Amino acid sequence: MSLPPLVEPAAELTVDEVRRYSRHLIIPDVGMSGQKRLKNAKVLVIGAGGLGSPALLYLAAAGVGTLGIVEFDEVDESNLQRQIIHGQSDVGRPKAISAKESVAEVNPLVNVIVHGERLDNDNVFEVFKGYDLIVDGTDNFATRYMVNDAAYFLGIPYVWGSIYRFDGQASVFAPTLTDDAPCYRCLYPEPPPPGMVPSCAEGGVLGVLCASIGSIQVNEAIKLLTGIGDPLVGKLMIYDALEMEYRKLKVRKDPKCDLCGEQATVTGLIDYEYFCGAVSEEAADAAADATISVTQLASMLKEREEGSRDFVLVDVREPNEYEINQIPGSVLIPKGEFLSGAALEQLPSDKQLVLHCKSGVRSAECLAIVKGAGYADAVHVGGGVVAWVNQIDPSQPSY
Ligand SMILES: [Zn+2]
């Protein structure tokens, strides 16, 4: 499937530009018109790290007129094994500034916009606005889902890449360009459980893998901007550096996608840290010796029924979730009421508290609060209502 070019051509190329880009200009598919489109293009690169380094250098060299760099971090010595846009003398300096200087050295004709801040719900729309295309080089799931959702809401297509050890993946997500194009959520509706997928910092990454995937991302960016070739829309490129194997899988748009599906439930930015299950340190500490299984809960509920035990089972989810499924005998007090302190006023001080939510993230956070308030024997249910439905009561729907 070919797509129309994302960018209109600039009026003219200068004599300097014609000299600089001559090897592009003599490729018939790119030519003068393609190079003028690149000159007019505004591309935002998220992260000046493993993927962002080669991506920025090649986008700059290719003559993309405006390059945005989102990066809040500083250069560390351990970055230099793969983040080739930075050098030894940049250690300790802001990555965004180091990257900007390298881009200027490669191609002084590029206009660089530095966004030296951590991307979050409060600034993501402001940062994204005005760009024709995004190249996503983020390394964590919370930011990936945020990038996907914000790009969708603004109608900006983006090129995604990921790397780990010897394996890389890349795709183009452009659900607003064509009806049958999937988004990242169509491919990965749910983030992996926390702790399941180690980051590059924990698991390592082959330095040159960044170049393999980053250059695929630039390749796709140039195709989209100039309207040439068959972009990776609806396709997932999987690269295995050890076997030296590229595979391409079809990715279909999911009609039930929470974001771009027919009955979307994600209609604005959400709490991505929570969605990706990033448990706070306090919550992890509180849950460390106070997590029970759904099987334990089932026998506790039986004992409560028989009168040999007493406790309060609190569901900390939202009312709409409570309507979908429930653990029998629970009372609903949403997490927000624990945060505000209102929940503690409703709870008896002389009974054990057992907290649960959907999967065990929110209940761990509430557990830290109630333990802090003196409920020393409070516990929460690992796996939450999802585990309850799976293991104890499959007759209930899950979500
Ligand atoms: Zn989708």
Side-chain angles (χ1 to χ4, degrees), residues 112-382:
V112 178
I113 300 170
V114 167
H115 306 274
E117 56 202 326
R118 191 191 287 268
L119 210 52
D120 60 27
N121 282 16
D122 294 330
N123 61 23
V124 65
F125 286 131
E126 203 50 49
V127 170
F128 281 14
K129 239 176 241 167
Y131 287 101
D132 303 302
L133 180 71
I134 293 167
V135 173
D136 181 16
T138 48
D139 59 356
N140 68 83
F141 287 96
T143 311
R144 269 183 206 146
Y145 280 96
M146 177 177 65
V147 168
N148 181 67
D149 295 357
Y152 175 76
F153 293 132
L154 292 175
I156 305 174
Y158 76 102
V159 191
W160 165 81
S162 88
I163 44 174
Y164 180 69
R165 293 192 175 162
F166 299 101
D167 298 317
Q169 301 186 353
S171 188
V172 172
F173 297 114
T176 51
L177 283 191
T178 65
D179 286 343
D180 54 350
C183 79
Y184 180 75
R185 284 178 184 267
C186 295
L187 176 61
Y188 297 116
E190 292 265 345
M196 281 293 286
V197 179
S199 66
C200 289
E202 295 158 38
V205 59
L206 185 72
V208 72
L209 181 71
C210 304
S212 309
I213 300 301
S215 64
I216 288 175
Q217 291 182 279
V218 174
N219 187 63
E220 293 308 305
I222 290 173
K223 283 158 61 184
L224 290 162
L225 295 168
T226 58
I228 61 173
D230 186 5
L232 269 180
V233 174
K235 284 169 278 188
L236 173 67
M237 174 65 81
I238 299 177
Y239 172 59
D240 178 340
L242 284 182
E243 294 298 320
M244 191 40 72
E245 213 169 56
Y246 285 96
R247 281 188 300 147
K248 220 160 59 169
L249 304 181
K250 218 181 177 72
V251 183
R252 288 182 203 284
K253 186 186 184 79
D254 178 3
K256 291 196 189 121
C257 175
D258 286 343
L259 181 71
C260 72
E262 284 144 20
Q263 277 152 359
T265 52
V266 178
T267 53
L269 298 178
I270 62 167
D271 182 342
Y272 295 95
E273 293 292 338
Y274 155 62
F275 177 64
C276 294
V279 185
S280 70
E281 232 171 272
E282 296 90 312
D285 283 348
D289 56 356
T291 301
I292 60 166
S293 68
V294 286
T295 325
Q296 282 173 294
L297 176 64
S299 50
M300 283 171 70
L301 283 167
K302 204 163 167 237
E303 289 167 23
R304 188 171 76 171
E305 233 173 72
E306 292 161 352
S308 61
R309 184 169 203 145
D310 203 10
F311 63 92
V312 183
L313 177 62
V314 187
D315 185 340
V316 305
R317 296 178 299 160
E318 298 301 314
N320 55 337
E321 299 177 278
Y322 194 69
E323 277 175 24
I324 298 172
N325 53 21
Q326 295 164 20
I327 299 180
S330 61
V331 292
L332 179 73
I333 306 180
K335 189 185 111 182
E337 299 193 27
F338 284 88
L339 296 176
S340 72
L344 294 171
E345 292 165 17
Q346 302 173 44
L347 291 166
S349 56
D350 56 344
K351 283 188 190 174
Q352 188 191 14
L353 299 182
V354 179
L355 310 177
H356 87 83
C357 61
K358 181 186 179 185
S359 63
V361 175
R362 278 173 282 179
S363 57
E365 285 176 41
C366 295
L367 184 65
I369 294 170
V370 298
K371 283 199 159 197
Y375 290 90
D377 60 349
V379 293
H380 87 130
V381 182

